[in-house]
Structures are given as C-alpha cells and as structure tokens.
Amino acid sequence: MRAAVIGLGVEGKKAFNSLINHGWDVYASDLNVNVDLSGLDIPKLDMELIKRGDSFSFINSNFVLDIGFTNPDEIDDCDAIAISPSMWGGSFASKIVENGKLLCDVLTKHRDLFTIGITGTNGKTTTVHMIKEILENAGKKVLVGGNGGGGFEGYYDLILEANEKDYDILLVEVCDMTLDFANYCFDFDIVGLTNMGNDHMDVHKTVANYKNSLVRFFKDKNIVIAYNQDFKADFIDSASNSIPYFESQEELQVFGEFNRCNAGLAAAIAIELKIKKSIIKESLNNFKAVAGRLDVYPLNDSLIYIGKTDNSDALASVLAENNFYAIFIGTPRPHEKHRLDILDEVVKYNPEVIVLFPGLDDNFEVAKYRLNSLNYEGRVEIATSLDEIIALVAEFSHEEAMLIGGNGQDVIIDIQERIRLLSQNCN
C-alpha cells in the first residue's frame, strides 16, 4: 500500500512516521521550502537528495519526500491520502473526500470501536490520561492518541493502529483547531468538553466562532460538559444528550481546582460507561501528573510549580493557587503574538521577578517589549540555557514559591526533570 502525506506540520510528520512504521510506502510533500523536518524518521543512509533550484527531494526505497513543490502524479498513484487537518474544508480536501481516498475512508476499522473524544482549551491531555488509567484498571484495552501536541501519536496513527490490532475503546484528544476534521474522521460515541479558554484566537478569531465550531462538533452527540459551562444552552440544543460534571472531591495527587475539574470530567465519563466507582476512585487517587503538565516540587524553602501554561486562561488558573515570588515564562514563536497575552496575566499578578526563557523560540525582544509596554517595574531576567534557568531557581529557592510555565512543552519537560532530580537530592 502507498499513501500520500500532504503538509508536514505536526500532524503531517506524525502521519509520515506512522505510515512508514506500519509498512506503507509514502509520498510526502510540503510547499514551504523552509519547513522544519525535525521529527521525521528519515534515514541518513541509502537516501538520494535531488535539488531543483529552491526545491529538493529526498528519495528512499520506501518514500519520496518533495519540499517546495507537490507532484500530482505521485498523489494520484497513491491508495490513500493523509492531509494536514488545517487543510480541511478547502477544495483539495473536498476532492480527496469525494474520491474516497482520505486515509480514514480507506481504513475504517477505527469507526467500529466505541470512541470517546475529549476537547477544549486546557486540560485535555490530563483528562485523557485520567480516563485511560480508569479504563485500563477496569480491564479495557484502550487505544489513545489524537492531537499532535498532546504527547502521543496523532490522528492518523489511531486509524492505522486500530486497523491492525484489537482494542475495546478508542480515546481521542481533539484539538479545538481540528474539530471539523476529527468529526469527519471518527465516529464519536461520547464527547467531553474540559473548558473554553483564550487560545488559538489566531484561528478562531472570536469566542463566538469557537463556540459555533463546538456546536457543530456536538451535533447529535452524547456530550459531557461542566455544570456551569459558558454557552451551555447552545451545546445542549445541538447535542442528542448532555451529562453535567462537577469538580471531583477525591483526594488527588495532582494539585489545583482545574485538575479537580479534569478529574470530575473523567469520572463522569467513566460512570456513563458503567465503570465501578471503586475503580474510578482508586484510579484518580493514584493518578500522577503527565510529563510537561503542571506539577509541584519542593526545593529548600520554596515550592516550584512547573508545567505548560501557554495561554492566558491556563496561566490565570495557576496564579490563583499561590503567591509566586518569581515567574518563569517560555516564549512563543514570533508569529504567535496572541500567546503574548500570558505576559499580561503575569504583569497583572506583579511578581518580584519575571524570567524569560526560550520556549518555542528565543523570542526575547518581542516579549521584553510587551513587558515594557505593560509598565512592569520589577526585575526581568533572560535565561538562555537550562543551566541558567536552574541557577535562577536556586537563587529564588528560599522564597515561598515560583512558577515555571508558558510555551514550549519539550523545554519544560527538560526543566521539570532537572527540578525533580534537584528536589529529590536536596529534600
């Protein structure tokens, strides 16, 4: 079998790797000559490189990778096509669907599985992992994946994996930017909404547009939403059935009111699936924070809160939990100006120190300009390396608490691991 992968963003790269790992031959292309190819499992040996002006091709025995152009004949010769979710709704995607060549229409076994979707702005990954632990503790074989940024494999990997092995339940993290795409690819039996927050407004443009995307996604579905969810009436009108959830009252090892909400959603879905309450309770009591998500470590006299908080609502929910002497913020990519809103929340909180570190990019000048425009008068530090971050953490470790968050999950995981080791050795 041969597949085409069109677009090499996060999901496209995951699709390419998954197809290769599942034994497919692959044709892949991206029109952007400067596309980041890191994360692609392409061998350095036995590969031919062909340059054509600004464009070029990598050719191997089981794949062809065209950068800067797309060969329509290669696409036509493929048995299935994987497109970037960002292309959904365009004429090219519509033509692929019309021809029945989208990978989810060629391989359809995943649609026979009981499927749970978790969407929302914040808390998706934690909620998915909570549900996964509950279901596995109940003896279910669970296939998990979805949103490429969630720390697991992407949508297409779910389709390929479900086609080859037997599972009881398919658990999908659905990014709020890919709702229509995921709605077409999967047959959701139940969908949970964590929350609606101020993120991806470069795509949604307005909260009303985001709400309308969710209304479409929820149409005729069994949904689980917070008892006090904004636009609750609109969502209930669109759904076939709605179930409210409340903050969990269990003893959790993860901290924060937001995680009590995540646990409440996980429990409500598990109850709907008739999982024993004793299994739900034990699973939530023993659940530990997912790597890169917010966790707390003691160091000397301080508590260090660390985890990805890459939008203003996520950050605000953490800032409400403690008094932070210093706040470390990972910077976004230069074009993601909307993510600089997190600095507005930091300045409103007014910590003694703000430390900027390279999260998704070393976008320091733009971040410093934002801080100046907000008239922040405290101390500002720039930490360009992990060692510099740790040195500042040590300096502030006799204050009550500090927060390390912002953008850059991979960077934050590295910092988190170093802090964890320091905490173990010093306490």
Side-chain angles (χ1 to χ4, degrees):
M1 297 284 280
R2 183 172 174 81
V5 176
I6 311 301
L8 292 171
V10 173
E11 185 64 30
K13 287 189 243 187
K14 287 181 177 289
F16 177 93
N17 293 340
S18 186
L19 284 160
I20 293 293
N21 292 334
H22 283 84
W24 286 59
D25 289 335
V26 177
Y27 170 74
S29 71
D30 196 297
L31 296 178
N32 178 12
V33 294
N34 296 314
V35 64
D36 180 10
L37 298 180
S38 63
L40 279 180
D41 294 338
I42 51 178
K44 300 297 187 291
L45 300 175
D46 302 324
M47 184 172 64
E48 183 180 1
L49 172 63
I50 300 176
K51 294 196 61 127
R52 304 176 185 85
D54 290 336
S55 63
F56 54 94
S57 301
F58 296 104
I59 300 174
N60 185 270
S61 59
N62 59 343
F63 71 81
V64 174
L65 181 60
D66 286 340
I67 304 300
F69 72 103
T70 295
N71 186 334
D73 292 333
E74 288 274 12
I75 297 174
D76 289 342
D77 287 342
C78 288
D79 303 293
I81 300 172
I83 61 170
S84 167
S86 63
M87 300 173 67
W88 189 254
S91 58
F92 182 71
S94 298
K95 181 180 177 182
I96 292 170
V97 170
E98 183 181 335
N99 293 337
K101 276 198 166 186
L102 195 64
L103 185 63
C104 65
D105 291 325
V106 175
L107 304 179
T108 60
K109 189 177 173 182
H110 63 286
R111 288 178 174 152
D112 296 331
L113 294 174
F114 187 91
T115 303
I116 303 168
I118 299 297
T119 192
T121 303
N122 299 309
K124 296 186 296 296
T125 300
T126 295
T127 304
V128 163
H129 281 273
M130 285 176 169
I131 296 171
K132 176 178 181 287
E133 288 202 17
I134 293 170
L135 295 177
E136 288 182 339
N137 289 338
K140 305 294 185 183
K141 191 174 182 184
V142 186
L143 176 58
V144 182
N147 170 31
F152 32 59
E153 296 308 320
Y155 297 119
Y156 291 114
D157 189 75
L158 289 175
I159 295 166
L160 292 161
E161 186 69 15
N163 189 65
E164 294 186 0
K165 297 178 183 177
D166 293 326
Y167 292 91
D168 300 313
I169 293 175
L170 181 59
L171 180 53
V172 189
E173 177 177 325
V174 183
C175 174
D176 58 7
M177 296 185 294
T178 64
L179 291 166
D180 293 331
F181 170 81
N183 195 34
Y184 180 84
C185 289
F186 300 97
D187 185 7
F188 292 101
D189 294 280
I190 188 168
V191 172
L193 175 67
T194 57
N195 47 60
M196 290 181 64
N198 178 30
D199 198 10
H200 300 143
M201 287 301 149
D202 56 327
V203 175
H204 298 305
K205 306 302 180 186
T206 66
V207 172
N209 288 340
Y210 180 16
K211 181 263 293 183
N212 292 335
S213 295
L214 285 168
V215 167
R216 289 195 305 272
F217 185 61
F218 291 156
K219 184 172 177 57
D220 299 329
K221 290 184 177 64
N222 187 19
I223 65 172
V224 184
I225 59 175
Y227 73 98
N228 58 350
Q229 176 62 56
D230 291 341
F231 309 111
K232 181 179 176 180
D234 295 301
F235 298 152
I236 290 175
D237 286 345
S238 182
S240 60
N241 181 48
S242 67
I243 301 162
Y245 71 86
F246 303 84
E247 294 179 6
S248 173
Q249 299 305 308
E250 297 293 344
E251 293 184 6
L252 304 178
Q253 295 189 42
V254 289
F255 87 99
E257 292 302 312
F258 50 90
N259 273 322
R260 291 202 168 277
C261 292
N262 296 334
L265 174 54
I269 289 175
I271 290 170
E272 184 70 9
L273 270 57
K274 297 182 169 33
I275 304 299
K276 291 181 179 179
K277 289 185 179 180
S278 59
I279 294 176
I280 299 172
K281 177 181 176 66
E282 183 179 2
S283 300
L284 292 176
N285 290 164
N286 294 327
F287 183 83
K288 292 182 172 58
V290 179
R293 270 46 182 185
L294 214 64
D295 210 346
V296 186
Y297 301 91
L299 183 65
N300 295 329
D301 303 318
S302 184
L303 289 176
I304 304 172
Y305 292 62
I306 176 168
K308 182 169 74 77
T309 48
D310 59 359
N311 62 75
S312 57
D313 287 320
L315 184 62
S317 65
V318 181
L319 293 177
E321 296 287 343
N322 208 331
N323 296 314
F324 298 105
Y325 175 84
I327 299 177
F328 295 61
I329 293 295
T331 52
R333 298 181 183 92
H335 67 278
E336 293 180 324
K337 299 287 176 46
H338 62 288
R339 292 197 184 278
L340 291 172
D341 286 352
I342 60 178
L343 294 177
D344 297 22
E345 290 295 326
V346 175
V347 170
K348 190 187 306 181
Y349 187 84
N350 197 28
E352 293 292 328
V353 185
I354 296 175
V355 179
L356 301 174
F357 66 89
L360 294 172
D361 206 328
D362 55 353
N363 193 18
F364 298 126
E365 292 307 315
V366 173
K368 286 195 294 183
Y369 180 83
R370 183 64 161 255
L371 291 177
N372 287 334
S373 69
L374 294 167
N375 298 315
Y376 175 67
E377 296 180 352
R379 173 181 167 190
V380 177
E381 293 283 349
I382 304 295
T384 60
S385 68
L386 179 55
D387 287 341
E388 290 180 4
I389 293 170
I390 298 303
L392 288 168
V393 167
E395 178 183 339
F396 306 142
S397 65
H398 296 289
E399 304 296 340
E400 180 179 348
M402 67 189 89
L403 170 63
I404 303 174
N407 297 266
Q409 178 176 280
D410 291 341
V411 175
I412 288 172
I413 288 174
D414 289 341
I415 302 169
Q416 197 174 56
E417 179 60 18
R418 182 77 75 87
I419 297 294
R420 184 185 67 81
L421 293 173
L422 277 174
S423 176
Q424 288 178 345
N425 293 332
C426 296
N427 293 281

